[in-house]
Amino acid sequence: MDIATRLHDWLSRLERQHPVSIDLGLERVAVVAERLGLTDRPIAGRVITVAGTNGKGSTVAMVEALARAYGLSTATYTSPHLLRYNERLRFDGREAEDAVLVEGFERVEAARLTPSPVSLTYFEAGTLAALWAIAERRPDVAVLEVGLGGRLDATNIIDPDVAVITTVALDHADFLGSDLETIGREKAGILRPARPAVLGHDLTDSVFRVADELGCPVWRLGDTIRRREAPSGWCWEGRDRRGDALSLSALPDPGLPLDNAALALQAIALAGGALDADACRHGLTRVSLPGRMQWLGRWCLDVAHNPHAAAYLATRLAAQPRPPRRIALLGMLADKDAPGVIEALSSQVDAWVAVGLEGPRGRDGEALATLLTARGQTVAHVAGTPREGADWLASRLAAGEQALVCGSFLTVAEVLAWHEDRGQGRCPS
């Protein structure tokens, strides 16, 4: 059996081995982590953990790019993936090879079964395998993206040297609740006593109370991390290693949220990398993150799947010249706030293609179309899958018109794969 087949088999097996897909809690994960030796010593020279409702992925990508610009070895663990599971684990900017992932799963499985079996979810097993692989290499910097919440997420078995919380907004209500203060406290579960906390500006009082209770030195966007109004937006200001002023407005626009760029810069500084203007410029020009305002010709792909993220996407679109018509291909899971996303994007969309998503959490295209129509939106077409919707839209997109693909990682992933099938990621004209 070749290694790619073995990886596929492992992923299929992990999807079936636990009775539910999400089972928050650290007890089971901690047992297996101890058996793997993950708690015996640090997995990296410095660990930066990133939590938040939105902005985690872009912050992780910029921390990784900045660290590499300093010549540091890096490992990053993120979720979910778009096209390949390998995207979740990267070493020095490169996706982990199949053999690395398979060995990690084998190590986790052996530890899970001995001396007595412990049941793990797909995410938990994948997280432990990634942490084992990182610990084997012990890079200078490991950046871990929290999957869900913070306090009970599998990544939280590792103590971060620097904790970053980007935003707190409503999402995953079935698991985290619908009260923002409670959600904020869950995300603050990644903070550690007396260790630095880098905090965004869209947070709740509960986050700051936890930081105060733990005695965390706090760097807060808009306060300790100074912000000032500038033509390019909010700008981070700090000092480089020579003591000279360093402003985000003087650095390249990474094409990702500038607030998250500020958090990434501060996190790197706190992780021991005295800031250097040239290294920061180099890092921010090399950062990339598929599925976040990703343009393929006249198609824009963004994984925004809650009102907070959709509102940011609408702001970015509004800052650009308005095309003759923009048609949104929207596919959302049933447990997401579709009305809130539609409302946030409606000012930037002229017509919609409603598509269905499969699986136990899926929402069909007809249900989504009903929500759109009830809110006065024009539904141009309803399709069973994102791929079918993309086929329909590609054949009807007129000259100068734009397509927006959003609503879920699943929606963007399927359309990305569709683009690759049509010509290695090139968008139809």
Side-chain angles (χ1 to χ4, degrees):
M1 185 184 297
D2 64 43
I3 194 68
T5 302
R6 288 172 62 193
L7 176 58
H8 179 270
D9 287 351
W10 266 111
L11 295 174
S12 298
R13 177 179 178 178
L14 294 176
E15 287 178 338
R16 301 189 303 266
Q17 75 175 16
H18 196 74
V20 294
S21 60
I22 299 176
D23 191 2
L24 293 177
L26 297 182
E27 294 82 3
R28 292 171 291 104
V29 178
V31 169
V32 181
E34 185 175 358
R35 294 175 183 177
L36 286 166
L38 292 175
T39 56
D40 294 344
R41 65 186 181 97
I43 64 170
R46 291 287 186 273
V47 174
I48 300 173
T49 299
V50 182
T53 305
N54 297 305
K56 297 190 298 290
S58 60
T59 303
V60 168
M62 287 186 278
V63 169
E64 177 190 48
L66 289 165
R68 293 185 63 210
Y70 278 94
L72 301 173
S73 59
T74 62
T76 58
Y77 175 62
T78 62
S79 64
H81 60 277
L82 286 172
L83 299 180
R84 296 168 298 279
Y85 187 90
N86 309 58
E87 297 168 19
R88 298 188 179 213
L89 179 61
R90 295 192 303 276
F91 294 105
D92 297 323
R94 295 185 296 274
E95 293 177 9
E97 296 180 355
D98 292 355
V100 172
L101 298 172
V102 168
E103 185 177 5
F105 292 140
E106 290 173 345
R107 297 284 184 145
V108 171
E109 183 70 358
R112 183 183 76 83
L113 295 175
T114 307
S116 58
V118 176
S119 183
L120 295 173
T121 67
Y122 175 92
F123 178 75
E124 290 168 343
T127 299
L128 287 168
L131 295 176
W132 175 85
I134 293 170
E136 285 292 293
R137 288 152 183 79
R138 204 169 186 276
D140 296 321
V141 177
V143 193
L144 308 179
E145 178 187 349
V146 169
L148 178 61
R151 182 176 64 92
L152 299 177
D153 188 79
T155 57
N156 204 32
I157 61 170
I158 300 298
D159 293 329
D161 297 286
V162 180
V164 181
I165 303 177
T166 58
T167 57
V168 173
L170 293 177
D171 200 6
H172 299 292
D174 290 347
F175 300 98
L176 301 179
S178 57
D179 174 72
L180 287 177
E181 288 293 315
T182 300
I183 295 172
R185 182 168 281 275
E186 286 297 312
K187 296 188 186 300
I190 70 168
L191 303 182
R192 295 297 189 271
R195 295 194 180 182
V198 181
L199 306 177
H201 67 92
D202 240 351
L203 302 184
T204 57
D205 290 341
S206 57
V207 173
F208 298 99
R209 284 196 297 271
V210 172
D212 185 59
E213 292 165 3
L214 296 175
C216 297
V218 170
W219 278 261
R220 179 182 184 182
L221 193 61
D223 184 5
T224 316
I225 305 174
R226 293 174 54 206
R227 293 198 302 172
R228 62 181 177 81
E229 190 68 32
S232 59
W234 288 107
C235 294
W236 177 85
E237 291 183 321
R239 296 281 173 180
D240 67 13
R241 64 176 69 201
R242 294 180 294 273
D244 298 330
L246 179 62
S247 172
L248 188 56
S249 60
L251 296 173
D253 185 347
L256 295 168
L258 293 181
D259 279 358
N260 296 339
L263 299 178
L265 285 161
Q266 190 64 56
I268 282 293
L270 291 169
L275 294 178
D276 176 86
D278 290 337
C280 291
R281 291 189 189 97
H282 181 68
L284 292 178
T285 57
R286 297 177 67 86
V287 67
S288 64
L289 187 61
R292 278 73 164 185
M293 284 294 291
Q294 180 182 3
W295 286 93
L296 297 174
R298 292 181 289 129
W299 293 62
C300 177
L301 288 74
D302 195 283
V303 296
H305 56 273
N306 58 52
H308 186 273
Y312 174 76
L313 173 59
T315 299
R316 290 288 301 273
L317 292 172
Q320 301 181 0
R322 184 73 179 243
R325 190 166 71 142
R326 181 181 289 128
I327 304 174
L329 187 156
L330 182 70
M332 297 191 66
L333 294 171
D335 55 6
K336 298 300 179 182
D337 182 3
V341 168
I342 294 166
E343 181 179 353
L345 289 173
S346 60
S347 66
Q348 299 302 313
V349 175
D350 301 296
W352 303 76
V353 175
V355 303
L357 295 178
E358 298 177 347
R361 297 168 60 203
R363 186 198 310 255
D364 64 51
E366 291 291 350
L368 199 54
T370 299
L371 290 174
L372 286 161
T373 302
R375 283 153 183 80
Q377 302 300 298
T378 300
V379 178
H381 186 66
V382 179
T385 67
R387 183 176 288 266
E388 292 171 3
D391 274 331
W392 183 91
L393 184 52
S395 67
R396 290 163 177 80
L397 201 62
E401 294 182 345
Q402 290 180 356
L404 170 66
V405 179
C406 60
S408 172
F409 276 85
L410 297 172
T411 306
V412 170
E414 191 166 329
V415 175
L416 267 178
W418 172 84
H419 275 300
E420 286 197 352
D421 290 346
R422 292 173 68 101
Q424 291 73 52
R426 292 194 301 274
C427 189
S429 59

